[in-house]
Amino acid sequence: MILVWMIGILLAGGFLCWLLARWNTQLSKWAALLSLAAGLLIVGSVAWQYGDTVRSQATWLIDYRINWIPAFGISFHVAIDGLSLVLLLLTFFLGLLAVLCSWNEIRERTGFYFFNLLWTLAGISGVFMAMDLFLFYFFWEVMLVPMYFLIAIWGDSNRRYAAYKFFIFTQAGGLLMLLAILALYFVNATQSGVYTFDYFDLLNVSLAPETARWIMAGFLIAFAVKLPVVPFHNWLPDAHSEAPTAGSLILAGLLLKTGAYGIIRFVLTLFPQAAADIAWWAMLFGAVGIVYGAMLAYAQTDLKRLIAYTSVSHMGFVLLGVFAFREIALQGVIMQLLTHGIGTGALFAMAGMLKERLHTRDIEKMGGLWSAMPAMGGMALLFTMASLGLPMLGSFIAEFLILLGTFPVQPALTSIATLGLIFAALYSLRMMQKVFLGPVKGASPPKDLTPRELIIMATLGISMVLLGLFPQPILDMVKMTVHQ
Amino acid sequence: MPLLALIPALPLTGFLVLFLGGRRFSRNVIAGIGAGSVIASAVFTLLWGIRFLQSPPAGGAWTQSLWQWFRVESLSVGIDLRLDALSLLFVFIITFVGALIHIYSVAFMRQDRDYARFFASMNLFVCSMLLLVMADNLVLLYLGWEGVGLCSYLLIGFWYEKPANCYAANKAFYITRIGDTAMAIGLFLLFKELGTLSIPGILNQAPQHFARSASYSTLIPLLLLAGGIGKSAQLPLQTWLPDAMAGPSPVSALIHAATMVTAGVYLIARMHGLFLLSPMAMSVTAVIGAITLFIAGCSALVQTDIKRILAYSTISQIGYMFLALGVGAWSAAIFHFFTHAFFKALLFLAAGVVIEALHHEHNIFKMGGLRQKMPLLFYTFLSGAASLAALPLITAGFFSKDQILWYAWSAGNGNILLWAIALAGAFITACYSTRLLLVVFWGEAKTPVGKFGGRLIYLPLITLAALSLISGFIEWPHNILHLTLFSDELQQVLPATILQENHPPEFLLQGIAATATIAGIYMGYHWYYPITGRIYRWQAGTRMLAFRSFLLDGWKFDQLYRTLFIQPFLYLTRINKNDVFDRVYSGIARGSVSLNRLFSASQNGSLRWYIAAVLIGILFIVTLQLLL
């Protein structure tokens, strides 16, 4: 039941924001903030409560199920294990910061904005816990539509184009997934005579290799678009760069993770053999994505586009690690999901703060900002280093584990992926150089971080360092899931 | 057992305090925290070092586990520190020379706007470097390894408003990262083969494991070597170090002379067990060292920027260390690191004083006459330069370099060719040291000399000058005096050097080496003594000019890499800036739009068209029916 609360609080909070904004926009912001804080408290308390259980035994910590449309075998079935829990923590944590990021940025239709923000987060939370494939698809769409509005209404100058692109790409993938879900549903029905969308029932279905391959392809493409895998990544730079700051933060920090989560939760378990068959290709795409994304990131002059392409590169590591089928690599992948969420989220937040001050995203027009804003420069340095995988920071643990775990499986592909570390240094330092170092450009020096902004950046920064120095609690949390 | 963690923790605390609150403190407080933390570290190191020497711990090392860093499956990595004779020596140099350089910096950087940022970065550097040499496993070592790279980047680009400095900083980071990446692959391979990343574990298991399957026994040390090459600025990744001189002089002294650039030497010495298993890897190390020492020495001969001369000289001296490692003269390599740390730090610090006193003049040919103007500085510089030139018997540099020259031929892996190159290097070294000294301190003053100095500046200089002369006395050549404190201590960790069976007599080689040094000094004098100045006429010929500019540009490696790697990379990224895949999707979108136009053209609302279309359709179907 507590899981329903997590989603419910967001859905209800969203409505409340919309209503309150009619009277007072300030109230609406606080409502959004409080509902996320309450949600974070709930998730936190769950994590606290199940801290020991998750390490030792039971995979499924909480399992809640009621019938929804029994005629078609559809139920409202949510459950969490360590993996879901970790991702839910990330969702509410970044969600909270996303609200803080939007505090002054959004001046029009504030209520509707926060409604969309909270509903997207609700959709994401739902995706991380749905154990009924129909419900999963439902939440998949719930996170998509409000996100579309966030980009299309509060985005930058080219927002329409970006929003359409985002919608069409993900929707195309989503439809393939729907087909695959239905196929699985009917195959199961003909085998067992029971019509059900329940994940645990569908795990038992035995598929002919050929069928399994096709059905898996449906899922995989949907997740590959979301992750994104080169060459399905083209929606991402546009959507990220045009979205409002909080939108970019949620896109990069959370939405991409649903793709990875889907692969781990559904593709690997429902179609283990078919997944093993295509492992080499998947890893190849991962390695190519790392290098390709990095090279594109290096060429960009739009700060948010640059950061967006670094996401493509970082998500290549995820694909590589998942298909290695090794415990070490998979632990690294989950670490990567967290640290990328935090690190890239922080970079987008920073890009938003710079845009508010300088009214541009063009790094050619920036430079020498360190002297005017040393606090932001320091934080930027931290996250630049995180993005190039400096030890002491969480992203190092992630990439190190992925590469270490993948190497015995595919030495050549892993070596190519490791070259990504050099490219990461190239684009990261170029960004630092163009924005914060070099001669001062522009007439009036911008103000340094405000207390609100400092809280956002410092929270993210501290979590990045903590993940780098004490990653073990997280690794323990997902150990049982990964083990299976 | 002492609290080892205190040694890196003190500078780390200094860093954190300065990073978080540095802008609010007064300059005195900043200096107190910044320099104080490293001095405290040095004091602890000295105390514990004496205890270590008096009563060596069981197993030859103190260890301390701080916490479990991460543990997955069979991989278990802890934040574990370890102090044995080898790391103790490095820790001593890092904290002691580091403390002296911090004291110097208190005065040297006094006027700088970012006083706190400077000391914060320096403290972080000391902490990372200490972790590097105290790490008990390769992951923690890698943490220190990347940490010093970060600090080097921050400090080279310390004056970030000048684009050239940022360029140099980026270049240093990029090039070392290439080596680091190779090293990372080496770690993956090691883990795959041995299933552990703990250093003692690797050294224990490696001989048996690779005796069974020798498949990667050469590749692994070569990958580690690549890491060392990047960090230690050896061929072919040496090009970043001369540009790294863009940083403040204390930075060049600490990071780019005494400590960080010798991390590669440490790595190879630390992992000697792996290198010993592969004669091939040993030879590669020796050859790279030999070529580097020669190439960089030649470049040092023609540089005009005082710090670039010293930078090339550093590359060249580290080349000696690599050569020694490669021929299996482990303790000789570390000994040269030991003396080099003193005299090269001294030379950089002294150069910093010269540059400041001459109002930021870097060109040695615009200096001159400083012997009378700054006598104290002259004498310290003289002892540093003499030690660099390896003036026989009275300088520390002689004792360490002579040992390497001797082993280059006589040690197990040595041969006459390596020795000959090393000898040529010794000649060149003496030559450019003399040139530097003569041009800067003799002749007439070409730039007005400002006032610069003070107790805090000269205390480190004098200490280092003394050490540059006497620190060699703890290890004598066997044939002169049987006093080998240094190598005795190190033999707890490093294997003894094995000599070839038929090696030339040691006296003969020593004589030749000493002669080469003296000849080098004479050549320097002959060409550059200001009154005679033969070099200037000789240099004027066109062909000589071309050759000189070839050496001046560091054998044109930068240009080579520019055409081979940088330009193609930039070209590729530039043409693909808009992402070729995007074309595919816009193609699909355009296709749909034109299809839409085509079909909507048929929906024009004109009845005549529709009737015509219906009739054509009927006709078509009827024809088909008739035909089939």
Side-chain angles (χ1 to χ4, degrees), chain A residues 71-138:
Chain A
F72 297 124
I74 298 172
S75 62
F76 188 92
H77 186 182
V78 286
I80 57 167
D81 60 357
L83 172 63
S84 304
L85 189 56
V86 166
L87 290 171
L88 283 171
L89 272 173
L90 181 73
T91 306
F92 283 87
F93 175 64
L94 287 183
L96 196 67
L97 296 178
V99 172
L100 278 177
C101 273
S102 333
W103 209 256
N104 293 334
E105 190 191 4
I106 303 303
R107 297 180 195 284
E108 289 162 33
R109 305 168 78 175
T110 318
F112 188 50
Y113 173 85
F114 283 110
F115 168 79
N116 281 312
L117 193 68
L118 264 59
W119 274 57
T120 307
L121 291 170
I124 295 168
S125 316
V127 161
F128 288 146
M129 55 174 97
M131 288 301 141
D132 180 283
L133 288 187
F134 189 83
L135 187 68
F136 179 77
Y137 182 75
F138 170 78

Side-chain angles (χ1 to χ4, degrees), chain A residues 78-357:
Chain A
V78 286
I80 57 167
D81 60 357
L83 172 63
S84 304
L85 189 56
V86 166
L87 290 171
L88 283 171
L89 272 173
L90 181 73
T91 306
F92 283 87
F93 175 64
L94 287 183
L96 196 67
L97 296 178
V99 172
L100 278 177
C101 273
S102 333
W103 209 256
N104 293 334
E105 190 191 4
I106 303 303
R107 297 180 195 284
E108 289 162 33
R109 305 168 78 175
T110 318
F112 188 50
Y113 173 85
F114 283 110
F115 168 79
N116 281 312
L117 193 68
L118 264 59
W119 274 57
T120 307
L121 291 170
I124 295 168
S125 316
V127 161
F128 288 146
M129 55 174 97
M131 288 301 141
D132 180 283
L133 288 187
F134 189 83
L135 187 68
F136 179 77
Y137 182 75
F138 170 78
F139 281 127
W140 192 261
E141 296 297 310
V142 169
M143 70 181 182
L144 174 60
V145 178
M147 196 49 170
Y148 167 78
F149 283 123
L150 283 181
I151 302 173
I153 300 177
W154 293 274
D156 226 338
S157 51
N158 198 16
R159 54 182 181 262
R160 276 291 186 66
Y161 171 76
Y164 280 141
K165 205 169 176 181
F166 165 70
F167 194 82
I168 292 172
F169 266 81
T170 36
Q171 195 62 343
L175 283 176
L176 287 177
M177 180 168 76
L178 183 63
L179 283 179
I181 291 176
L182 289 175
L184 200 60
Y185 174 72
F186 286 116
V187 169
N188 178 53
T190 43
Q191 271 179 17
S192 61
V194 185
Y195 285 90
T196 176
F197 281 101
D198 199 280
Y199 171 68
F200 297 102
D201 294 332
L202 293 175
L203 277 178
N204 302 324
V205 67
S206 61
L207 296 164
E210 193 66 14
T211 333
R213 207 166 301 150
W214 283 104
I215 299 180
M216 181 190 72
F219 279 96
L220 196 56
I221 289 175
F223 299 140
V225 169
K226 231 0 173 249
L227 190 58
V229 177
V230 174
F232 304 117
H233 63 280
N234 289 76
W235 62 272
L236 184 137
D238 289 301
H240 280 62
S241 52
E242 297 301 325
T245 307
S248 314
L249 197 153
I250 291 179
L251 272 173
L254 300 171
L255 233 61
L256 307 189
K257 275 59 191 186
T258 60
Y261 172 81
I263 296 179
I264 297 172
R265 174 74 78 216
F266 297 108
V267 174
L268 295 194
T269 53
L270 289 171
F271 320 99
Q273 191 48 48
D277 288 345
I278 60 143
W280 189 84
W281 287 100
M283 289 166 78
L284 177 71
F285 275 93
V288 168
I290 291 170
V291 175
Y292 188 76
M295 286 186 69
L296 271 159
Y298 186 84
Q300 303 306 313
T301 48
D302 178 328
L303 182 56
K304 284 178 94 176
R305 247 186 133 72
L306 193 164
I307 303 169
Y309 275 114
T310 70
S311 288
V312 176
S313 182
H314 283 137
M315 289 297 111
F317 281 102
V318 170
L319 194 65
L320 183 80
V322 166
F323 280 92
F325 300 106
R326 286 295 150 97
E327 191 173 335
I328 296 184
L330 210 50
Q331 289 271 31
V333 165
I334 292 160
M335 222 38 214
Q336 176 84 337
L337 298 184
L338 292 183
T339 56
H340 175 264
I342 292 169
T344 311
L347 286 176
F348 274 121
M350 195 185 75
M353 293 167 191
L354 285 174
K355 169 120 203 298
E356 271 179 47
R357 290 168 168 79

Side-chain angles (χ1 to χ4, degrees), chain B residues 95-117:
Chain B
T95 53
F96 184 72
V97 177
L100 290 175
I101 293 173
H102 274 74
I103 293 171
Y104 172 94
S105 308
V106 168
F108 189 84
M109 298 299 288
R110 191 75 184 179
Q111 305 306 323
D112 201 274
R113 191 184 57 176
D114 288 314
Y115 205 50
R117 183 162 62 91

Side-chain angles (χ1 to χ4, degrees), chain B residues 371-437:
Chain B
R371 187 164 48 110
Q372 287 91 14
K373 297 271 171 55
M374 310 177 90
L376 190 51
L377 181 73
F378 167 69
Y379 285 111
T380 55
F381 201 95
L382 178 66
S383 53
S387 198
L388 172 63
L391 202 63
L393 292 177
I394 53 164
T395 63
F398 165 74
F399 290 97
S400 57
K401 200 180 285 174
D402 175 65
Q403 220 180 42
I404 294 180
L405 283 171
W406 153 242
Y407 284 133
W409 189 341
S410 66
N413 262 340
N415 58 47
I416 183 165
L417 195 63
L418 292 175
W419 173 79
I421 299 176
L423 189 71
F427 172 78
I428 294 169
T429 310
C431 196
Y432 67 69
S433 308
T434 316
R435 167 183 184 259
L436 177 61
L437 197 70

Side-chain angles (χ1 to χ4, degrees), chain A residues 161 165 169 230-234 238 292 295-296 298-301 309 327-328 331 370-371 374-375 378 381 385 388-392 396-397 400-401 403-404 407-408 415 418-419 421-423 425-426 429-430 432-433 436-440 448 468-472 475-476, chain B residues 19 23 67-75 77 79 113-114 117 124 128 139 142-144 146-147 150 153-154 157 160-163 166-167 169-170 173-174 177-178 181 184-185 187-189 191-192 197 216 569-570 572-574 576-583 585-586:
Chain A
Y161 171 76
K165 205 169 176 181
F169 266 81
V230 174
F232 304 117
H233 63 280
N234 289 76
D238 289 301
Y292 188 76
M295 286 186 69
L296 271 159
Y298 186 84
Q300 303 306 313
T301 48
Y309 275 114
E327 191 173 335
I328 296 184
Q331 289 271 31
W370 191 305
S371 18
L381 182 71
M385 289 302 142
L388 59 78
L390 189 87
M392 282 181 268
F396 166 73
I397 308 279
F400 185 77
L401 287 178
L403 294 171
L404 194 70
F407 191 84
S415 301
T418 315
L419 292 185
L421 295 179
I422 301 174
F423 290 106
L426 285 169
L429 292 189
R430 174 173 172 270
M432 192 67 204
Q433 154 89 52
F436 287 98
L437 309 177
V440 180
D448 208 350
L469 292 180
F470 306 97
Q472 198 58 43
L475 296 176
D476 283 341
Chain B
F19 177 73
R23 268 169 294 151
W67 72 84
Q68 177 80 44
W69 194 7
F70 52 93
R71 189 182 62 241
V72 183
E73 238 183 10
S74 59
L75 170 72
V77 176
I79 306 275
R113 191 184 57 176
D114 288 314
R117 183 162 62 91
L124 183 63
S128 311
V139 189
Y142 192 74
L143 183 150
E146 293 289 290
L150 165 68
Y153 162 78
L154 291 177
Y160 56 83
E161 269 135 347
K162 222 172 122 198
C166 299
Y167 173 78
N170 283 0
F173 200 98
Y174 294 155
R177 198 104 223 259
I178 296 172
T181 303
I185 296 178
L187 298 197
F188 304 147
L189 203 52
F191 182 70
K192 175 181 174 247
L197 286 173
Y216 294 113
F569 175 78
L570 289 179
L572 265 180
T573 54
R574 201 173 53 239
N576 195 31
K577 184 186 168 195
N578 293 323
D579 201 347
V580 59
F581 287 113
D582 216 30
R583 294 257 183 96
Y585 294 111
S586 358

Side-chain angles (χ1 to χ4, degrees), chain B residues 53 76 80 135 146 224 231 284 293 300 329-330 339 364 373 397 436 443 455 485 507 512 523 548 552 555 569 599 609:
Chain B
L53 295 180
S76 175
D80 299 335
E146 293 289 290
L224 296 181
K231 237 357 160 226
V284 172
L293 80 88
W330 304 101
T339 60
I364 54 168
K373 297 271 171 55
L436 177 61
R455 224 175 294 161
L485 295 176
F507 269 121
I512 297 177
M523 279 312 271
R548 184 171 168 274
L552 195 65
W555 299 55
F569 175 78
F599 289 124
W609 268 98

